[in-house]
Amino acid sequence: AQSVTQPDIHITVSEGASLELRCNYSYGATPYLFWYVQSPGQGLQLLLKYFSGDTLVQGIKGFEAEFKRSQSSFNLRKPSVHWSDAAEYFCAVVYTSGTYKYIFGTGTRLKVLA
Amino acid sequence: DTGVSQNPRHKITKRGQNVTFRCDPISEHNRLYWYRQTLGQGPEFLTYFQNEAQLEKSRLLSDRFSAERPKGSFSTLEIQRTEQGDSAMYLCASSLLSVEAKNIQYFGAGTRLSVL
């Protein structure tokens, strides 16, 4: 079955520290890959996306993600976290046929310590 | 471009009542999706429309749920005889299915439903 795994439910980092959020997916081909961020009570904001080509993609707010086909992973990184980055982060895959519906992971809640 | 708009933002209802949510997509987008998000989970696909045609419904969408998109513009999601298990955030997203746009979905802020 198609699935997305975000193994870390909660992550706490200090402000200014680096961040890596993990995402693994299962699929027989390369899907489209996305990271979204959700602040409390809000909808989802697109951080970055991967379709093809360069496996390191840049997004908004200083985030980047690297697609590794061999590991079926699409991990999100940020070199220096800001207090305003505290939120929930969702990885999503889109299977490029038919519905193009998103399959989301369960999310990682990021807490930033001052 | 005002983004995807959802109304109401919050809805509190008693068990057994009917509720209806509205989603106004980005104007030129031809696809519209509904997702449900429960506490501690990622959003789960419910259904989607291409223009006015409803092309797929998830097994999560029981027969108490119905969605419409008349004229291919706004969409409504109705839940009849609400149950406490229906309490969730209902998210709407719209997209443009094209080679260039690649069907990137843009989400509204959601409607949070609480069934008492």
Side-chain angles (χ1 to χ4, degrees):
Chain A
Q2 304 158 351
S3 65
V4 176
T5 301
Q6 292 182 247
D8 304 304
I9 298 174
H10 297 280
I11 283 186
T12 300
V13 299
S14 297
E15 191 169 19
S18 63
L19 172 70
E20 182 169 25
L21 303 183
R22 295 183 290 166
C23 173
N24 293 91
Y25 66 91
S26 67
Y27 186 54
T30 301
Y32 293 165
L33 296 156
F34 301 84
W35 276 98
Y36 283 82
V37 61
Q38 186 178 39
S39 298
Q42 300 300 310
L44 300 168
Q45 181 183 21
L46 179 65
L47 282 177
L48 46 74
K49 55 194 180 290
Y50 173 80
F51 300 126
S52 64
D54 192 347
T55 56
L56 185 64
V57 294
Q58 303 297 320
I60 63 171
K61 305 184 180 186
F63 285 92
E64 66 178 27
E66 185 173 13
F67 170 61
K68 293 186 177 179
R69 184 189 306 274
S70 62
Q71 298 176 18
S72 296
S73 70
F74 187 56
N75 293 348
L76 182 71
R77 301 194 294 246
K78 187 169 185 178
S80 178
V81 170
H82 188 264
W83 64 266
S84 61
D85 293 325
E88 189 146 25
Y89 292 80
F90 292 95
C91 179
V93 300
V94 176
Y95 295 93
T96 55
S97 63
T99 64
Y100 285 78
K101 65 187 176 187
Y102 282 22
I103 308 293
F104 284 90
T106 51
T108 297
R109 183 168 295 279
L110 174 66
K111 183 177 179 180
V112 180
L113 301 176
Chain B
D1 179 2
T2 57
V4 178
S5 177
Q6 290 188 247
N7 288 289
R9 291 293 310 277
H10 303 275
K11 180 69 177 179
I12 301 173
T13 191
K14 294 182 178 179
R15 189 176 53 190
Q17 297 296 304
N18 299 344
V19 294
T20 300
F21 312 141
R22 177 178 171 125
C23 172
D24 288 273
I26 294 171
S27 58
E28 66 270 23
H29 285 184
N30 52 11
R31 284 200 168 188
L32 187 148
Y33 296 78
W34 285 98
Y35 293 83
R36 181 170 67 186
Q37 184 179 20
T38 53
L39 203 61
Q41 299 296 317
E44 295 175 289
F45 169 79
L46 292 178
T47 188
Y48 90 102
F49 294 83
Q50 180 156 317
N51 300 313
E52 67 276 8
Q54 187 174 18
L55 297 185
E56 184 173 327
K57 295 192 289 186
S58 161
R59 281 175 289 180
L60 292 175
L61 212 65
S62 77
D63 55 9
R64 295 184 298 105
F65 288 69
S66 63
E68 295 182 339
R69 193 184 183 197
K71 304 178 183 178
S73 57
F74 71 92
S75 176
T76 58
L77 178 68
E78 180 183 17
I79 309 175
Q80 295 182 328
R81 305 180 304 280
T82 53
E83 302 173 356
Q84 288 184 327
D86 297 331
S87 296
M89 174 81 90
Y90 290 85
L91 293 166
C92 175
S94 71
S95 67
L96 180 63
L97 183 62
S98 70
V99 173
E100 297 78 19
K102 297 190 186 302
N103 204 60
I104 296 172
Q105 294 180 28
Y106 296 87
F107 285 81
T111 294
R112 181 168 296 284
L113 174 65
S114 298
V115 182
L116 305 178

